[in-house]
Amino acid sequence: MAAVSPTIDTLMMDAAFFAARAAAEAGEVPVGAVVARGKQCISVAHNLVETTPDPTAHAETLALRIAAQRLGVARLSDCTLYVTLEPCAMCAGALEHARINRIVFGAYDPKGGGVEHGARVFQRETCRHVPEIIGGYREKEAAKMLADFFQSLR
């Protein structure tokens, strides 16, 4: 695993977990995302798929949209995305197009992930941009939140 900053990465991932808990309280799959530039938090979002209803309203895409609007740019090449779950193929594609510099994610997603699993978007020959990827950051905490949420539905 690549290096993480014990302070900035922890604070930004704390914000992503806070957003994920808000998603769960709203009946959404508990995934939270933060876009940061250096030490500055640019955006925070959580899944809104069921609430909106919009199949593209994943935490990552929402956080990217907000960050791009706030910064007034479509390319977030100097930003890091923090997210509690490995991004799916759709979100990984959006991260590629946004030219995000770094992705830090919590739980791995063997079924729906698109970074380390499934489509492996950043390993494709056609990929135009490959960010630094740090997977499994606070993995147990993220996986437990997801497991608890789905258990409560049963």
Side-chain angles (χ1 to χ4, degrees):
M1 180 162 72
V4 293
S5 166
T7 54
I8 297 305
D9 289 339
T10 299
L11 288 172
M12 296 302 170
M13 194 59 110
D14 282 347
F17 275 105
F18 183 84
R21 286 188 289 278
E25 289 174 15
E28 297 279 353
V29 174
V31 178
V34 169
V35 173
R37 183 168 60 180
K39 296 179 180 182
Q40 182 182 14
C41 178
I42 306 298
S43 64
V44 180
H46 63 72
N47 278 1
L48 288 173
V49 173
E50 303 302 327
T51 304
T52 49
D54 176 356
T56 69
H58 290 197
E60 301 94 307
T61 59
L62 297 172
L64 285 176
R65 287 177 190 149
I66 295 165
Q69 289 172 356
R70 286 190 178 153
L71 296 175
V73 296
R75 304 290 182 259
L76 303 171
S77 57
D78 58 348
C79 294
T80 297
L81 174 87
Y82 297 88
V83 62
T84 57
L85 180 65
E86 176 183 352
C88 70
M90 176 188 70
C91 292
L95 293 163
E96 174 192 356
H97 285 283
R99 306 294 196 265
I100 201 88
N101 182 54
R102 184 169 171 251
I103 300 167
V104 179
F105 70 84
Y108 289 91
D109 188 355
K111 291 181 181 177
V115 176
E116 300 287 333
H117 297 89
R120 299 175 194 247
V121 169
F122 301 113
Q123 296 175 24
R124 302 260 178 212
E125 283 183 31
T126 56
C127 184
R128 294 173 298 278
H129 171 76
V130 179
E132 176 185 359
I133 298 166
I134 299 171
Y137 185 61
R138 296 172 62 177
E139 177 182 9
K140 289 180 184 176
E141 182 180 357
K144 182 177 181 340
M145 181 182 294
L146 287 157
D148 289 350
F149 175 79
F150 287 113
Q151 183 63 38
S152 73
L153 297 179
R154 294 186 181 115

